[in-house]
Amino acid sequence: MKNHIVTAFRLTFVMLAVVGIYLLIVYGGSKVLPAKGNAEIITQNGQKFYANIGQEFKSEKYFHGRPSSVNYDAAGSGGSNKGPSNEEYLETVQKRIDTLKINHPAMENTKVPVELVTASGSGLDPDISEEGALYQVKKIAEIRNLSEEKVRDLVKNKTEKPFLGFLGPSKVNVLKLNIALDQLK
């Protein structure tokens, strides 16, 4: 009996050391990231927005991000858990494609970027690809009476390159892009 208790205590201390080292590595690693592991808060017109959480933009004069399976509710973060062979999921994605093509008739023959019709695993992804943003340029330029080139240049300027130049894809934060769009004349 005494041997089992001693073994249990040893294992407990070893696991505490392993978990402690792991936590230090994760914490230390987060401090080298661009946001230092913290939320990025943007204040606009006296209102606070979290740039790390997807936002819903209903107006056609704004870029739209990924659809959310949790209605952009950060308290209920999660995906739909429906796979690519699920009939209901395929119908939802097809409806989103059809809606997007109706809302962007000039892009009828252009391939729809996948993130504009599929929700992310968390349902709160704040970013889209550069292609996803460029897909929306023509309509936004038309609605805002801006040149397509001006809006396209804005997208290019707001595109974030991969971390360290090779880790991850290029991406565009939709909230930051829309704030910059409002400031565009």
Side-chain angles (χ1 to χ4, degrees), residues 48-69:
K48 287 184 180 181
F49 298 96
Y50 291 89
N52 309 71
I53 297 175
Q55 312 283 323
E56 183 175 22
F57 294 94
K58 294 183 179 181
S59 174
E60 290 186 359
K61 69 178 189 171
Y62 289 113
F63 286 92
H64 291 67
R66 291 188 80 159
S68 174
S69 55

Side-chain angles (χ1 to χ4, degrees), residues 120-183:
S120 66
S122 69
L124 299 169
D125 194 348
D127 305 315
I128 58 176
S129 69
E130 185 177 5
E131 294 78 24
L134 291 173
Y135 186 90
Q136 302 175 64
V137 164
K138 187 173 185 72
K139 181 167 187 175
I140 289 169
E142 183 180 299
I143 288 171
R144 288 184 174 252
N145 293 320
L146 297 168
S147 73
E148 281 184 52
E149 185 177 332
K150 201 173 198 178
V151 179
R152 190 174 288 109
D153 287 344
L154 178 67
V155 169
K156 298 272 187 203
N157 289 335
K158 289 295 174 184
T159 299
E160 300 170 22
K161 299 300 177 202
F163 183 62
L164 298 177
F166 66 94
L167 293 174
S170 293
K171 60 188 178 183
V172 180
N173 184 288
V174 181
L175 174 64
K176 292 178 184 178
L177 179 62
N178 285 332
I179 288 172
L181 184 63
D182 278 343
Q183 296 168 350

Side-chain angles (χ1 to χ4, degrees), residues 5-150:
I5 292 174
V6 171
T7 303
F9 275 120
R10 284 182 184 160
L11 181 60
T12 300
F13 289 123
V14 167
M15 290 309 297
L16 282 172
V18 168
V19 170
I21 292 168
Y22 170 76
L23 289 173
L24 286 173
I25 290 170
V26 170
Y27 178 76
S30 72
K31 295 305 172 190
V32 259
L33 295 173
K36 306 266 187 268
N38 298 319
E40 186 178 351
I41 300 172
I42 297 174
T43 304
Q44 184 71 16
N45 299 329
Q47 197 173 11
K48 287 184 180 181
F49 298 96
Y50 291 89
N52 309 71
I53 297 175
Q55 312 283 323
E56 183 175 22
F57 294 94
K58 294 183 179 181
S59 174
E60 290 186 359
K61 69 178 189 171
Y62 289 113
F63 286 92
H64 291 67
R66 291 188 80 159
S68 174
S69 55
V70 295
N71 296 320
Y72 302 97
D73 180 8
S77 172
S80 69
N81 292 332
K82 294 177 183 167
S85 61
N86 182 292
E87 291 293 324
E88 187 179 334
Y89 174 75
L90 293 173
E91 286 176 22
T92 300
V93 170
Q94 189 58 53
K95 284 179 189 174
R96 289 175 182 159
I97 291 171
D98 295 342
T99 302
L100 206 59
K101 292 212 177 227
I102 289 169
N103 290 334
H104 298 271
M107 304 302 283
E108 182 65 35
N109 297 323
T110 306
K111 182 182 166 196
V112 174
V114 69
E115 77 272 6
L116 295 181
V117 294
T118 58
S120 66
S122 69
L124 299 169
D125 194 348
D127 305 315
I128 58 176
S129 69
E130 185 177 5
E131 294 78 24
L134 291 173
Y135 186 90
Q136 302 175 64
V137 164
K138 187 173 185 72
K139 181 167 187 175
I140 289 169
E142 183 180 299
I143 288 171
R144 288 184 174 252
N145 293 320
L146 297 168
S147 73
E148 281 184 52
E149 185 177 332
K150 201 173 198 178

